[in-house]
Each structure stands twice: as structure tokens, then as C-alpha cells.
Amino acid sequence: MIAKNYMKDYIEFSDAFRKSKGSHESVGRLYDLLHELKEKNDRTKQEDLILSNVYSLLGFHKSAYDLFETIADKNNRKDSSKLFVMKEKAESHHDNFIIKDIRKSRQRNEQAKLEMADFKVSENTNNTFTIKKKKIVIFNKFVKNNDVKICLPDNQIGKYGYEITAHLNWLAGCEHELTAFYNNTDFEDKADKNWYDTLEVYRINITIDPFGNIYSYIVCGDDFWSDHILDVEINNREIESMTYDG
């Protein structure tokens, strides 16, 4: 059996990635190569280097550094210099600002059915609740580390269960509202389905005031400004602001 030439594939795929400025098709091919190499149990040193390079191209800077550190020649000036640069990137970015595989991002995620027992009182703040056991979907993405906080006018969570659930269900799939608002801002880029599908949601805070209004503050990231945080503020079901931070 003829061994597969991963270097040939890497050169072809990475060249297409750079020339197309990261087209979704070229990203998909890099992900296919990444998964194939990750699943290979007997990788050579060259194949580890290729995998590290693919990690870097896709924004997995910590994974790229961790792998390259195992194969780098510390006595080689070129390897040492590369390690230094990769370490700085790994410490500042980790694996938080990756280029997403849009094929996976387009899968529809269903919102979990919530019960009162799923809301847990926060230990640090009065009238504040978290959801820990069930994954919450916002913008069709699971919230990273399930970082969901709900602030109420009082501690009677049962009074607000329906409103909270209905609001979360709306937030799970508000693609049209989100893209339309983005495109009415002064941002140069134009949001579309690809933009929405590749959003990443890191944190959401929901606040209900004494009059029943629901305010949402959502921290996420997109592919337009992959090294910035995108903050979204929503009043009931009206998006009020989007700003980049970073």
C-alpha cells in the first residue's frame, strides 16, 4: 500500500487557502486534513509538523504550539525563533479565535427544554440564577462553557420561567434580525448566512426588570474580526447595539 503524501496535500490546500483568502471550501479541505492527521496513530515527525501548521492556519494557536514544542529542535535557531513566536500567540489567543468549519456550523441546534429545576441560584449575587446542566443555544450556537446568567427583580424564578424560556427560544434562531441590524450599522463588511453560521457565543446575561422587560447582553465573536469580541445588546426582541471590543 502506497503511503499517502500529506505534505503534497498540505501544500495544495494551504496555497488554495491563502489565494482564496480563506474561502469556505479551502477551510473545509484543511479541516478534513486536520481530522485525518489527528486520527492517525503513527504520525511521523513531518506529519506532526504538518498538523501543527494546519492548526496555525485555522487559528488553533495553542494546539499548534503544544504540538510543535514536542518536535522542535531547541538547538536549532529557526525552530527556537518559531517556538517563541508561537508561544506568544498561544498565550494571547489560545484556541479561542479559530476559523470555523461552516459545514459543522450549519447544523441546526435545538434549544433544550427547560424546567424550573434547571435554574440554580447563584452563590455570589442575590436574585441571580444560572443554568448548568443543559446546554443553551444562542444564535444557533451552544454557549461556551454554558456561561448563562439570569438576573431577576426578586428570587421567585417560577414567576418568570415562561418569559425566560420564550426569550431563549427566540434568541436561538434570530438570524434575520441579527444580520439585518449588522448590515444597518457603519461596519464595512456585510453580514449574511455565512457570517451568522460562523458566529461563536461566549457568554449571555439576561436581566428582567420590575416591569417585565427582558434585556440581553451577549458576548460573541465572528469571522470578520476574529481577534475582537462582538458585544450585542437586545431589549426584549429589538436589537439595540452591536460593538466590537478588542
Side-chain angles (χ1 to χ4, degrees):
M1 182 176 179
I2 300 175
K4 185 168 183 178
N5 190 338
Y6 289 103
M7 180 58 75
K8 178 178 178 295
D9 285 349
Y10 169 71
I11 292 172
E12 178 185 342
F13 297 167
S14 61
D15 186 54
F17 172 82
R18 294 186 179 95
K19 286 182 177 178
S20 67
K21 296 183 179 179
S23 70
H24 294 302
E25 181 182 358
S26 68
V27 169
R29 294 171 80 184
L30 284 173
Y31 266 103
D32 288 342
L33 179 59
L34 181 147
H35 294 314
E36 188 171 344
L37 284 170
K38 278 182 66 177
E39 293 171 4
K40 194 172 186 290
N41 294 323
D42 56 343
R43 289 194 306 266
T44 64
K45 182 176 179 179
Q46 183 188 61
E47 289 166 351
D48 275 339
L49 177 60
I50 294 170
L51 180 55
S52 176
N53 290 341
V54 174
Y55 273 136
S56 288
L57 283 176
L58 294 174
F60 294 89
H61 296 294
K62 186 177 187 308
S63 296
Y65 169 75
D66 288 345
L67 181 56
F68 185 67
E69 188 182 29
T70 66
I71 60 173
D73 181 357
K74 308 298 193 302
N75 296 318
N76 181 287
R77 180 179 296 180
K78 183 178 179 181
D79 280 10
S80 295
S81 177
K82 182 177 178 180
L83 259 181
F84 177 78
V85 173
M86 292 178 71
K87 183 178 181 180
E88 286 193 327
K89 201 78 169 179
E91 291 176 347
S92 62
H93 286 63
H94 299 277
D95 287 344
N96 292 335
F97 303 99
I98 65 170
I99 299 173
K100 273 77 74 177
D101 185 351
I102 201 167
R103 298 169 300 180
K104 182 177 179 180
S105 301
R106 281 186 172 150
Q107 297 173 1
R108 180 169 176 77
N109 296 313
E110 296 294 334
Q111 189 69 279
K113 184 177 180 180
L114 296 174
E115 301 173 355
M116 288 302 98
D118 296 318
F119 297 91
K120 301 299 181 183
V121 179
S122 173
E123 297 179 358
N124 302 319
T125 310
N126 292 332
N127 306 335
T128 300
F129 295 78
T130 59
I131 303 172
K132 291 296 184 183
K133 291 187 177 181
K134 292 183 178 176
K135 292 184 177 181
I136 298 303
V137 176
I138 303 296
F139 307 157
N140 196 39
K141 311 299 182 308
F142 291 112
V143 180
K144 292 285 187 181
N145 302 317
N146 217 35
D147 196 348
V148 179
K149 184 165 70 174
I150 301 167
C151 302
L152 304 178
D154 53 56
N155 63 1
Q156 303 300 312
I157 184 66
K159 291 165 48 178
Y160 309 98
Y162 175 80
E163 288 81 2
I164 294 170
T165 299
H167 191 63
L168 288 173
N169 288 339
W170 179 79
L171 288 171
C174 56
E175 175 183 348
H176 173 74
E177 293 85 351
L178 205 66
T179 54
F181 186 92
Y182 190 99
N183 289 332
N184 282 325
T185 66
D186 294 330
F187 300 139
E188 293 183 4
D189 298 297
K190 290 301 178 183
D192 56 13
K193 183 172 179 57
N194 290 337
W195 173 82
Y196 178 80
D197 286 339
T198 52
L199 287 172
E200 199 85 19
V201 178
Y202 303 118
R203 184 172 76 252
I204 174 170
N205 293 350
I206 294 176
T207 301
I208 300 182
D209 69 15
F211 304 101
N213 296 304
I214 303 180
Y215 303 93
S216 304
Y217 174 69
I218 302 165
V219 178
C220 50
D222 67 7
D223 278 353
F224 290 157
W225 295 84
S226 58
D227 57 349
H228 287 62
I229 293 297
L230 178 63
D231 296 325
V232 182
E233 296 185 31
I234 300 174
N235 182 353
N236 293 313
R237 296 187 179 182
E238 294 290 330
I239 300 172
E240 290 192 330
S241 72
M242 283 187 187
T243 55
Y244 284 106
D245 180 20

